[in-house]
């Protein structure tokens, strides 16, 4: 597709439920990123893939968070045993090259997760 | 203290005004500096990027980087109501893949 597609757009989960968030990057983009954006805050880095390899997961807040990109295209961010503090918008981005280059990141519209 | 500091505003100005947005940072390894615009319920979109110090102009937008002061700015000339959005500064170091964002400044341009 023309842009980064994320689904679902909105997700309400009861505390303790597991959730899975999907990201379809731009075709041909080898780099894929997940960010978490709390209300009124800037995005914070969670994890980075180059093709299918997860090269940096330093931003994942706990072992309840897990991300995968098995075929180097679609990625899934899974959150186990959701907590209220997990409520945020989860943004996926893809990039052809280094994010500081002229193309930068292309972000999806995000998945808004609300844990009740 | 956060690596990147940005005044969250909100900032409200009349149409046609010049808008100045800025960020400070503490990590001297940052070499790439970007400004993203984020409309409500949308993802951020890249507006401007600058490598190292200097100025860059694109239409009504001008980005400035002063590495000696660890200070970056975005100027918007002849502001329009359609410029109303949250503006996020972002930075990265050479060889780093992740971006570090500021908190974002919420801007409203009043007709």
């Amino acid at each position: 597709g023309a842009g980064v597609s994320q689904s679902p757009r909105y997700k309400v989960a009861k505390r303790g439920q597991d959730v899975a968030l999907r990201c379809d990057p731009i075709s041909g983009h080898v780099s894929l990123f997940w960010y978490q954006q709390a209300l009124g805050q800037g995005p914070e880095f969670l994890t980075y893939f180059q093709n299918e390899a997860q090269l940096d997961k330093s931003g994942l807040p706990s072992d309840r968070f897990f991300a995968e990109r098995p075929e180097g295209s679609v990625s899934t961010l899974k959150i186990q045993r959701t907590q209220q503090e997990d409520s945020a918008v989860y943004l996926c981005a893809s990039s052809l090259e280094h994010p500081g280059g002229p193309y930068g990141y292309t972000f999806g519209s995000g998945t808004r997760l609300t844990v009740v | 203290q956060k690596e990147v500091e940005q005044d969250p505003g909100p900032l409200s100005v009349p149409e046609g005004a010049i808008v100045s947005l800025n960020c400070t940072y503490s990590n001297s390894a940052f070499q790439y500096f970007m400004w993203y615009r984020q409309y409500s319920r949308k993802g951020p979109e890249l507006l401007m990027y600058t490598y190292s110090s200097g100025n860059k102009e694109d239409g009504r937008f001008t980005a400035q980087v002063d590495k000696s002061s660890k200070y970056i700015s975005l100027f918007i000339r002849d502001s329009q109501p359609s410029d109303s959005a949250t503006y996020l500064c972002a930075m990265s170091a050479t060889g780093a893949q992740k971006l570090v964002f500021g908190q974002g400044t919420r801007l409203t341009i009043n007709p």
Side-chain angles (χ1 to χ4, degrees):
Chain A
V4 177
S5 179
Q6 292 188 247
S7 60
R9 285 297 314 277
Y10 303 93
K11 176 70 179 178
V12 178
K14 290 186 178 178
R15 192 170 54 185
Q17 274 187 331
D18 297 349
V19 297
L21 312 180
R22 177 187 169 103
C23 173
D24 280 271
I26 292 173
S27 178
H29 280 195
V30 300
S31 297
L32 185 145
F33 309 82
W34 285 97
Y35 281 77
Q36 181 190 57
Q37 187 173 23
L39 186 65
Q41 301 295 316
E44 292 199 358
F45 173 80
L46 292 177
T47 188
Y48 157 63
F49 290 86
Q50 185 169 315
N51 295 306
E52 69 278 4
Q54 189 175 20
L55 299 185
D56 186 348
K57 53 182 182 179
S58 62
L60 296 176
S62 77
D63 59 8
R64 296 186 295 104
F65 287 70
F66 173 76
E68 60 183 4
R69 193 186 185 197
E71 297 178 359
S73 178
V74 171
S75 178
T76 303
L77 176 67
K78 298 179 179 178
I79 309 173
Q80 297 177 323
R81 304 181 304 281
T82 52
Q83 304 294 316
Q84 282 193 319
E85 61 263 27
D86 300 335
S87 296
V89 175
Y90 291 85
L91 294 164
C92 177
S94 67
S95 174
L96 267 174
E97 58 176 82
H98 187 285
Y103 301 105
Y105 283 177
T106 300
F107 279 91
S109 293
T111 294
R112 183 177 297 271
L113 173 65
T114 303
V115 181
V116 297
Chain B
Q1 188 176 0
K2 293 185 176 182
E3 277 189 293
V4 179
E5 298 280 356
Q6 183 177 8
D7 187 336
L11 182 61
S12 181
V13 301
E15 183 176 355
I18 296 175
V19 176
S20 172
L21 305 169
N22 54 74
C23 291
T24 59
Y25 64 95
S26 57
N27 188 345
S28 57
F30 288 148
Q31 293 281 356
Y32 297 89
F33 303 92
M34 284 140 279
W35 286 94
Y36 282 82
R37 178 174 62 194
Q38 186 174 27
Y39 291 114
S40 180
R41 302 194 183 279
K42 296 289 187 182
E45 57 177 331
L46 181 67
L47 265 182
M48 301 282 287
Y49 107 97
T50 310
Y51 173 71
S52 194
S53 285
N55 295 354
K56 187 169 185 178
E57 188 173 324
D58 184 1
R60 296 184 295 111
F61 299 89
T62 299
Q64 291 183 350
V65 175
D66 181 349
K67 290 190 68 181
S68 62
S69 302
K70 296 190 176 67
Y71 186 89
I72 71 169
S73 301
L74 177 71
F75 297 95
I76 308 174
R77 291 183 299 280
D78 188 25
S79 56
Q80 305 294 312
S82 59
D83 295 329
S84 298
T86 295
Y87 289 80
L88 296 152
C89 62
M91 310 175 190
S92 69
T94 301
Q97 293 297 325
K98 70 178 185 182
L99 294 179
V100 181
F101 284 85
Q103 185 176 353
T105 300
R106 187 169 179 176
L107 173 66
T108 301
I109 309 296
N110 301 302

